[in-house]
Amino acid sequence: MHNDIEKILISKEDIEAKCKEIGAALTKDYDGKFPLAVGVLKGALPFMADVLRYTDTHLEMDFMDVSSYGGGVRSSGEVKIEKDLDTKVEGRELLIIEDIIDSGLTLRYLVDLFKYRKANSIKIVTLLDKPEGRTVDIKADLVGFEVPNEFVVGYGLDYQEKYRNLPYVGVLKPEIYGGEA
Ligand code: PRP
Ligand code: MN
Ligand code: MG
């Protein structure tokens, strides 16, 4: 599997250091509060687990599954709820956790949904930000790393459901996805 990777963009060590840094920031931000951490399945899973283990405050975890990519490389522009939260959002401090913001469609949709459901506050934390991919206006409150407009996989990020279990973020060899990212 590692043979499919052209280069490592962000190492396991860099990811761990960043999770500690962001966890410390969240610990301060949510001091004395009881935020609802919302992981966006499936990509956010490794980052959510790692960043929250360094967040030293009481918190609740829940998950949304929304999809925008439909298996391909490019975003289809559609967002669909596959699994909704089990938790009531009204009056809560929400912390949305993502692996990457690309077009911004997924997060734009979620932020609007949680505003409609009357969240008291909404913060976004993302491991990766790909500003060049943006088609709608959305910004994270905390960003781990900016990435160039390349097809990145690993540490939650997939190509056709593969590579999520890589411990680093890397760039896929073009011959694997057959062309331009
Ligand atoms: C990917 C990624 C983000 C979203 C970012 O999820 O994990 O959630 O796309 O793209 P956007 O900013 O253009 O909306 P995907 O829908 O592929 O589902 P997955 O997390 O299960 O891979
Ligand atoms: Mn995702
Ligand atoms: Mg995906």
Side-chain angles (χ1 to χ4, degrees), residues 41-43 66-72 99-100 151 156-161 164:
L41 296 171
K42 310 168 192 168
V66 294
S67 58
S68 65
Y69 271 29
D99 53 342
I100 188 166
F151 199 69
L157 291 111
D158 72 303
Y159 173 59
Q160 296 184 341
E161 300 302 325
R164 295 191 200 273

Side-chain angles (χ1 to χ4, degrees), residues 16 18 71 83 88 97 102 108 129:
E16 201 194 351
K18 190 62 77 175
K83 184 221 171 283
K88 277 226 173 64
I97 304 181
D102 188 354
R108 176 79 275 153
D129 187 6

Side-chain angles (χ1 to χ4, degrees), residues 13 23 30 36 41 43-44 55 72 74 80 90 93 97 101 110-112 117 121 127 133 136 147 158 162 164 168 178:
E13 291 73 23
Y30 290 110
L36 174 61
L41 296 171
T55 304
R74 282 179 182 279
K80 192 178 153 218
E90 188 172 349
E93 321 304 327
I97 304 181
I101 312 180
L110 286 177
V111 166
D112 290 348
R117 291 181 180 178
S121 68
L127 177 71
V136 293
V147 289
D158 72 303
K162 291 185 272 188
R164 295 191 200 273
Y168 52 78

Side-chain angles (χ1 to χ4, degrees), residues 62-75:
D62 203 347
F63 302 90
M64 284 289 286
D65 187 3
V66 294
S67 58
S68 65
Y69 271 29
V73 172
R74 282 179 182 279
S75 174

Side-chain angles (χ1 to χ4, degrees), residues 5-144:
I5 304 301
E6 186 166 83
K7 62 175 185 242
I8 294 179
L9 272 189
I10 307 164
S11 71
K12 191 178 154 195
E13 291 73 23
D14 288 350
I15 292 171
E16 201 194 351
K18 190 62 77 175
C19 286
K20 286 185 186 170
E21 192 187 312
I22 294 176
L26 293 173
T27 301
K28 278 194 191 143
D29 287 356
Y30 290 110
D31 182 39
K33 302 193 170 127
F34 183 48
L36 174 61
V38 175
V40 186
L41 296 171
K42 310 168 192 168
L45 177 70
F47 179 54
M48 183 175 185
D50 287 344
V51 79
L52 294 184
R53 95 178 73 235
Y54 299 116
T55 304
D56 187 16
T57 184
H58 289 298
L59 54 83
E60 190 172 355
M61 295 186 201
D62 203 347
F63 302 90
M64 284 289 286
D65 187 3
V66 294
S67 58
S68 65
Y69 271 29
V73 172
R74 282 179 182 279
S75 174
S76 63
E78 278 169 48
V79 178
K80 192 178 153 218
I81 297 186
E82 310 280 359
K83 184 221 171 283
D84 207 337
L85 296 177
D86 298 324
T87 314
K88 277 226 173 64
V89 159
E90 188 172 349
R92 297 297 302 267
E93 321 304 327
L94 254 63
L95 174 65
I96 308 177
I97 304 181
E98 262 290 25
D99 53 342
I100 188 166
I101 312 180
D102 188 354
S103 72
L105 282 163
T106 302
L107 277 171
R108 176 79 275 153
Y109 177 82
L110 286 177
V111 166
D112 290 348
L113 177 71
F114 295 148
K115 278 184 185 163
Y116 175 77
R117 291 181 180 178
K118 301 193 175 76
N120 195 50
S121 68
I122 303 172
K123 247 186 217 296
I124 297 169
V125 57
T126 185
L127 177 71
L128 306 178
D129 187 6
K130 195 190 270 188
E132 282 175 67
R134 211 66 101 252
T135 61
V136 293
D137 185 36
I138 189 100
K139 268 205 181 83
D141 299 277
L142 290 160
V143 175

